[in-house]
């Protein structure tokens, strides 16, 4: 017996999965750089959201064309992975199509895989056309620089190649074709190879088999570097996504404590703060570490589809703000911080940069109307608005750097209890006017 | 409210007027219209008058959590001192803030938007509505972000318009896809960032596409924004921007 293929296969598998695991660890470390938030509440609602939105793709299908195609690719991806299981067992044990022993059901399964494979192939082509020929507006906005554009296309090419290899692998498997069960699509591809000798056909089959599984391992490892991470993170992300009414912004506990101290006549305002009272480092966010870890998970989950940006009123009217860019910038900065830590033995060394100004400009932040169109549009429950608000908080509470008009508005509220310079005592005047 | 307290009585509901409703000339008309309806339906209501203060919404959305919480805590003290249980307001921003952001600071009330409240008055038969001059008119409703997406209230205002026997036409972006008027997030109080268009003009263009005679609103800020948008488009002689409460008042000749 020749065990070399089995050993090579095992090595490929270990390297592929090992490298992926290493990156997953890094991913988790980076997400944990964010501030802690309590997300232990309402478990049943959270499970429901995950089931509907991630598993059930409920928000994807709000845009019917993209939604429909995406469901095909998604179902295809999940189902065809059963075949990968067989490939792995075959590869390790040196068997061939080990599941075929289950009898006629095997034909049904492979038949279904083949149909899905061809549907996925067609869908991916349509996706490619939408991006590159029709040039849908949302795929060509400013933040879609060369890498995001290429990334999206690479994934499409990957899927085309993987699906082709799967079908060729079946078409050149003479034994499988002889069974004539389950080769619904590949029987039409098989004749292409009929002129070749059996040895060559067998070689092609082996080649397709190997490239297919190696391709899958490469793809697995590509995820971390790509917007395609959403295929995994969509699940935790929809689970941890916001469940409060969209209009509700979070309450800053640290501020509540200070306000209580100020308003409570029993507390001596000049008393030294208790030794163990934790002072918040700062209010709001100027860099990724100040955001919550859910914000950071959001950033890694963003699939750069641009649905948020295409619904954003500021973006639609030509402002610099794009909620997708907010998410992409957050991820890019987080990756930069992560690399910095890798280079410095796990500690972050100040690099003189931050999320604010170096990535996200003030002009973008102040253009937001807090309308929640972006959060409503996002198919995976990402909340760009909460990042915008955290960064405004930093600008206002740490830097007093609000636009002049907003400072005037806030001074008015402080002095007259209204955003305009009216006298509080005139509040009821409407009653006596006709 | 102080008067009710002095008599040892509790009103049925507290009408939270809001800053726009108290000071802004256009929004004051909405306030007065809503009061007419409350009186018509014999609702015993109170207002805080000079004891009311900004909810803090624009401060919070500008990032000034300190100022927001100072405002919130002050208002909550007043409301709790009067033992207020139920609040109605004609401003979706006040509605959202009191409903969603006050509870964590100790202010727990039942809060309704005036369109929801009017709807219950109609359902209970305390108020009747007929189409009057609005019968058959083409009316489109602009969803306020803080009523619609923020709190999932889409039907109450539409039900009221339907009660006016008007023809309700929807813009291409409506309900959860509604386009913002451009005022939220404290934008009302500043000039927009540079771009190629103002948001309220974009929204007004969407409204004009469905050729309405009236643009109905449920928010004093949307009202201002849409009114300005209609002026920019020089359509003010053909299209009126009205709050739903005003429409009901005019339909009944109150
Ligand atoms: S909330 Fe802000 S970023 Fe999101 S769509 Fe509205 S204006 Fe754009
Ligand atoms: S935030 Fe959501 S809607 Fe926006 S680009 Fe990312 S995945 Fe798409």
């Amino acid at each position: 017996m020749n065990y070399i293929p089995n050993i090579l296969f095992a090595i490929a598998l270990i390297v592929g999965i090992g490298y992926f695991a290493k990156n997953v660890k890094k991913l988790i470390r980076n997400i944990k750089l964010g501030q802690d938030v309590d997300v232990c509440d309402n478990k049943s609602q959270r499970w429901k959201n995950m089931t509907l939105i991630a598993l059930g793709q409920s928000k994807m299908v709000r845009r019917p064309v993209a939604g429909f195609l995406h469901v095909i690719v998604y179902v295809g991806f999940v189902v065809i992975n059963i075949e990968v299981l067989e490939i792995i067992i075959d590869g390790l044990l040196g068997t061939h199509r080990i599941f075929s022993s289950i009898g006629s059901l095997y034909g049904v399964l492979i038949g279904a895989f083949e149909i899905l494979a061809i549907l996925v192939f067609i869908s991916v082509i349509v996706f490619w056309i939408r991006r590159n020929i029709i040039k849908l507006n949302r795929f060509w906005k400013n933040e879609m620089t060369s890498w995001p554009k290429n990334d999206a296309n690479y994934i499409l090419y990957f899927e085309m190649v993987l699906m082709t290899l799967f079908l060729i692998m079946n078409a050149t498997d003479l034994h499988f074709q002889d069974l004539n069960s389950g080769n619904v699509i590949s029987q039409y591809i098989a004749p292409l190879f009929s002129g070749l000798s059996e040895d060559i056909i067998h070689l092609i089959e082996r080649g397709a088999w190997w490239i297919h599984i190696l391709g899958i391992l490469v793809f697995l490892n590509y995820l971390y570097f790509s917007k395609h991470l959403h295929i995994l993170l969509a699940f935790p992300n929809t689970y941890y996504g916001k469940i409060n009414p969209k209009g509700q912004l979070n309450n800053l506990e640290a501020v509540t404590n200070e306000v209580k101290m100020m308003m409570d006549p029993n507390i001596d305002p000049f008393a030294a703060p208790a030794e163990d009272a934790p002072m918040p480092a700062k209010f709001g966010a100027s860099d990724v570490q100040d955001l919550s870890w859910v914000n950071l998970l959001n950033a890694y989950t963003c699939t750069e589809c641009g649905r948020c940006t295409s619904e954003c009123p500021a973006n639609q009217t030509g402002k610099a703000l794009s909620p997708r860019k907010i998410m992409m910038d957050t991820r890019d900065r987080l990756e930069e911080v992560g690399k910095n830590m890798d280079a410095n033995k796990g500690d972050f060394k100040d690099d003189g940069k931050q999320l604010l100004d170096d990535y996200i400009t003030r002009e973008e932040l102040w253009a937001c109307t807090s309308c929640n169109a972006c959060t409503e549009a996002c198919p995976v429950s990402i909340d760009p608005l909460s990042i915008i608000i955290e960064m405004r908080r930093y600008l206002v509470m740490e830097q007093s750097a609000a636009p002049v008009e907003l400072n005037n508005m806030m001074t008015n509220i402080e002095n007259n209890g209204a955003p305009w310079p009216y006298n509080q005592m005139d509040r009821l005047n409407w009653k006596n006017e006709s | 409210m102080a008067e009710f307290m002095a008599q040892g009585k509790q009103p049925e509901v507290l009408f939270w007027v809001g800053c726009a409703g108290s000071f802004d000339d256009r929004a004051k008309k909405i306030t007065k219209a809503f009061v007419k309806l409350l009186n018509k339906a014999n609702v015993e209501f109170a207002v805080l008058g000079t004891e009311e203060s900004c909810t803090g919404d624009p401060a919070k959305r500008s990032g000034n959590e300190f100022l927001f919480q100072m405002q919130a805590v002050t208002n909550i003290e007043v409301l709790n001192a009067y033992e207020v249980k139920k609040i109605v307001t004609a401003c979706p921003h006040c509605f959202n803030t009191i409903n969603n952001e006050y509870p964590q600071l100790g202010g727990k009330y039942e809060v309704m938007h005036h369109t929801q409240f009017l709807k219950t008055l109609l359902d209970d038969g305390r108020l009747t509505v007929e189409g009057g001059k609005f019968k058959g008119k083409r009316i489109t409703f602009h969803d306020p972000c803080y009523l619609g997406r923020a709190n999932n209230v889409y039907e109450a205002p539409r039900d009221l318009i339907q009660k006016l026997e008007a023809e309700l036409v929807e813009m291409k972006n409506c309900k959860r896809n509604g386009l913002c008027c451009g005022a939220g997030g404290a934008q009302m109080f500043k000039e927009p960032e540079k771009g190629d268009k103002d948001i309220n003009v974009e929204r007004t263009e969407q409204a004009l596409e469905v050729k309405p005679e009236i643009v109905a609103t449920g928010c004093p800020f949307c009202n201002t924004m849409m009114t300005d948008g209609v002026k920019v488009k020089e359509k003010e002689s053909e299209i009126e921007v009205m709050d739903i409460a005003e429409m009901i008042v005019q339909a009944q000749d109150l």
Side-chain angles (χ1 to χ4, degrees), chain B residues 5 10 23 63 113 115 130 144 167 189 203 215 217:
Chain B
M5 206 58 176
Q10 264 295 331
F23 294 119
H113 185 245
T115 56
E130 272 160 38
E167 184 194 349
F189 306 100
R203 183 55 166 169
V215 175
T217 61

Side-chain angles (χ1 to χ4, degrees), chain A residues 24 26-35 37 39 46 50 224 226-242 288-304 326-328 330-332 334-335 378 380-384 386-387:
Chain A
V24 168
K26 205 183 276 176
L27 183 81
I28 294 173
R29 179 201 68 186
N30 289 357
I31 290 174
K32 281 192 172 160
L33 292 176
Q35 302 290 315
V37 272
V39 279
R46 291 180 182 282
M50 186 172 101
Y224 176 74
S226 157
K227 66 156 196 149
H228 221 53
L229 209 41
H230 79 276
I231 63 172
L232 302 174
L233 295 186
F235 293 88
N237 202 71
T238 45
Y239 180 86
Y240 291 118
K242 186 168 176 174
V288 285
Q289 296 97 324
D290 308 325
L291 294 168
S292 82
W293 67 262
V294 175
N295 289 145
L296 303 184
L297 172 64
N298 278 185
Y300 274 122
T301 310
C302 174
T303 180
E304 299 169 14
I326 301 284
M327 301 319 299
M328 291 167 71
T330 304
R331 177 175 178 170
D332 288 349
L334 182 54
E335 271 297 294
C378 180
V380 285
S381 307
I382 288 171
D383 180 3
S386 66
I387 296 181

Side-chain angles (χ1 to χ4, degrees), chain A residues 63 131 136-141 143-144 227 302-312 315-316 322-325 327-328 373-374 377-379 382:
Chain A
R63 297 203 179 185
R131 265 180 201 272
L136 285 188
N137 198 359
R138 65 183 155 110
F139 301 131
W140 290 79
K141 296 261 175 189
E143 65 271 19
M144 296 307 279
K227 66 156 196 149
C302 174
T303 180
E304 299 169 14
C305 68
R307 291 184 183 209
C308 52
T309 294
S310 74
E311 299 287 337
C312 171
N315 192 277
Q316 281 178 21
S322 160
R324 167 171 57 189
K325 177 172 175 292
M327 301 319 299
M328 291 167 71
C374 50
C378 180
I382 288 171

Side-chain angles (χ1 to χ4, degrees), chain A residues 62 247-252 256 317 319 366-371 392 396 405 417 424 427 433-434, chain B residues 50 52 54 60-62 65 69 96 101 104 146 149-150 176 184-185 187 189-191 193 196-197:
Chain A
R62 286 200 188 161
Q248 179 179 340
L249 297 183
N250 68 335
N251 190 59
L252 273 190
T256 310
T317 53
K319 317 288 191 293
W366 292 117
C368 172
T369 72
S370 74
C371 71
R392 283 186 178 185
V396 171
E405 303 121 299
Q424 173 71 3
R427 216 173 239 281
E433 298 164 8
S434 62
Chain B
T50 54
E52 187 185 295
C54 174
K60 183 160 181 116
R61 273 139 193 94
S62 303
E65 185 75 7
Q69 291 201 13
N96 176 69
E101 290 164 358
Q104 294 153 55
Y146 275 87
R149 264 193 302 275
R176 69 178 177 218
Q187 296 294 334
F189 306 100
K190 61 185 261 301
E191 286 302 312
E193 271 55 39
D196 26 73
K197 204 191 252 179

Side-chain angles (χ1 to χ4, degrees), chain B residues 128-139 160-167 213-214 242 246-254:
Chain B
T128 47
V129 172
E130 272 160 38
K133 67 181 242 200
F134 298 101
K135 205 166 175 168
K137 282 216 164 145
R138 273 176 85 83
I139 299 181
L160 293 176
I161 294 174
Q162 240 121 32
K163 285 266 170 22
L164 287 168
E165 299 164 75
E167 184 194 349
E213 290 161 86
I214 293 168
M242 297 180 85
E246 296 178 297
M247 291 165 46
I248 298 179
V249 165
Q250 288 195 10
Q252 314 306 109
D253 264 336
L254 291 176

